[in-house]
Amino acid sequence: MFLTNGALFANMAPRLPELKDTFGLGEAAYGFLVIAWPVGAIIAGLAAGWLIRRFGSALVAVAGTMLTGAALLGAGSAPSLALLATGFLFGGAMDAITDVAQNSHGLLVQRRYGRSILNSFHALWSVGAVLGGSMAAGAMALNLSLSVHLGISLLIFAVVALTALKFCLPMGKPQAGLEEVSEDRPADPSPGTARTARNHTLWIMVALVLISTAGVMTEDAGNSWAALYLADSLGTSASFAALGYISLVGAQFVGRILGDGMVDRFGQRLVAQMGAVCLILGMGLALAFPSVPGSVLGFAAAGFGVATLVPAAMEHADRLPGLAPGTGLSVVSWLMRLGFLISPPLVGFVAEGWGLRAGLLLVPLVGVIVLLCSPVLRAKAPRQQL
């Protein structure tokens, strides 16, 4: 499921310039088109919890996967700009629901499995993204039209998702395993206790949102600014500048593969703190003493440092007391996506006045935020409590 989710949009991403040329879009119009995806995610993201409780996380994830693929196919075949934007909006909405549902099911499997495995699921999402991008490159080399290419992508990954559904945990009433999240909640608390518990849950949720947003804002720094910083600020060639993004996502993949073992051994809190220090020192030194090798290593340190943050925040959000199953995960995932909307204009605003090097100081800054919020994450715990 994670691999499929990563692959679907990655099949479209390399062909976005083709859509820009087809519809004759300027830079501003293109920017508004691309932002339709996260806007759709924000509009629909909070519906995920209700859908999971009603239909089960596995079915929602698979249905969302197929609808995301269908939306991308519709966008790639759209005869007008309005229909293209509508396809992106709907695709972003379905992608957000799929993301929450697959993480909800992954957390359920993790609890049954008895040790941390969620980071590895997220690593497979990265593998899917590489696979999807490679498929897009192959389709362009073969001169396949967008509609044919995305139709093939939809067919392949719909089959993969439906096959995965056969091996998912069955849905109970409520969904099997979700009741385990709330098994330590006190019965019939007093009004004062309930109010205190709600406030405590609210502050934990705020901290989890900040931790997960730190992760996605660092990812976005690699997506949006790494190549530009290396090429324009440090004078590298365009082809070499791609190493900034590659180093970040490559190190993030390694961090997620190693992350489950580290989480089981040290606990999520210490792993997040070590990652934050890696992020602060790596990017801080790279920006303080700018050089091409140092910057590539700095982006790699950033990717490795934030590798476990989003999975950790999602696990804790799914276990928040006083909330219906799936609600905490939906809210944190929904608010986390605001990071994708906030980060580019924030970095751009600072860069406009003081240069991109100053704008990228946002990256070590979010590492400080992670350090401040990390106490809400669990320390090392016995395996059976995962």
Side-chain angles (χ1 to χ4, degrees):
M1 287 180 177
F2 279 80
L3 182 140
T4 298
N5 183 246
L8 279 172
F9 186 76
N11 266 277
M12 170 65 90
R15 306 198 68 169
L16 288 173
E18 186 177 330
L19 289 173
K20 181 177 181 291
D21 293 340
T22 299
F23 289 94
L25 302 178
E27 302 299 332
Y30 176 71
F32 278 109
L33 171 65
V34 173
I35 212 172
W37 190 272
V39 168
I42 290 170
I43 291 172
L46 289 178
W50 179 85
L51 290 169
I52 290 168
R53 292 190 295 274
R54 178 70 178 82
F55 300 105
S57 56
L59 183 59
V60 171
V62 171
T65 292
M66 293 191 289
L67 289 172
T68 301
L72 287 168
L73 175 58
S77 310
S80 69
L81 183 59
L83 289 175
L84 172 61
T86 301
F88 273 34
L89 198 71
F90 182 70
M94 294 302 101
D95 178 67
I97 290 171
T98 302
D99 184 47
V100 175
Q102 69 187 12
N103 275 285
S104 178
H105 203 79
L107 287 165
L108 176 56
V109 172
Q110 176 172 274
R111 286 192 288 275
R112 299 291 183 88
Y113 197 65
R115 62 183 177 87
S116 179
I117 51 175
L118 189 66
N119 289 289
S120 298
F121 291 158
H122 281 256
L124 264 292
W125 186 96
S126 301
V127 173
V130 173
L131 174 62
S134 301
M135 289 174 62
M140 289 186 286
L142 295 172
N143 291 318
L144 293 181
S145 68
L146 256 175
S147 56
V148 171
H149 164 208
L150 295 175
I152 293 171
S153 171
L154 171 59
L155 178 62
I156 291 172
F157 293 114
V159 170
V160 172
L162 287 169
T163 302
L165 182 61
K166 293 170 60 67
F167 297 94
C168 289
L169 293 170
M171 177 186 175
K173 194 176 177 179
Q175 182 177 341
L178 281 175
E179 66 278 5
E180 298 169 16
V181 177
S182 55
E183 59 189 4
D184 354 338
R185 294 176 191 165
D188 301 322
S190 66
T193 303
R195 191 180 309 112
T196 302
R198 281 196 301 271
N199 290 337
H200 181 64
T201 297
L202 175 61
W203 284 113
I204 292 177
M205 184 175 289
V206 169
L208 293 176
V209 168
L210 290 173
I211 289 170
S212 58
T213 302
V216 300
M217 291 179 82
T218 302
E219 290 179 29
D220 185 73
N223 294 342
S224 304
W225 303 106
L228 191 64
Y229 177 68
L230 287 170
D232 290 359
S233 300
L234 299 181
T236 69
S237 65
S239 57
F240 186 91
L243 284 179
Y245 171 69
I246 292 170
S247 66
L248 188 145
V249 295
Q252 185 182 56
F253 170 76
V254 172
R256 285 176 169 171
I257 289 293
L258 299 176
D260 290 312
M262 293 192 298
V263 165
D264 284 338
R265 182 167 184 176
F266 303 112
Q268 286 175 333
R269 184 184 304 165
L270 183 57
V271 171
Q273 290 168 344
M274 291 189 298
V277 171
C278 180
L279 168 63
I280 294 167
L281 291 179
M283 279 302 293
L285 290 172
L287 294 171
F289 306 100
S291 69
V292 173
S295 296
V296 171
L297 290 174
F299 281 111
F304 189 83
V306 302
T308 65
L309 295 185
V310 172
M314 287 185 168
E315 178 185 341
H316 282 264
D318 203 41
R319 303 172 70 95
L320 284 174
L323 299 177
T327 300
L329 182 59
S330 297
V331 172
V332 169
S333 179
W334 180 70
L335 291 173
M336 175 187 74
R337 289 176 181 269
L338 291 175
F340 287 115
L341 293 179
I342 295 170
S343 179
L346 183 58
V347 173
F349 175 77
V350 176
E352 187 73 24
W354 295 279
L356 185 52
R357 182 179 164 199
L360 286 173
L361 285 172
L362 174 69
V363 178
L365 177 61
V366 298
V368 176
I369 292 173
V370 172
L371 282 178
L372 294 174
C373 296
S374 61
V376 303
L377 300 176
R378 65 172 171 82
K380 183 179 179 181
R383 224 171 245 192
Q384 61 269 25
Q385 293 181 13
L386 286 174

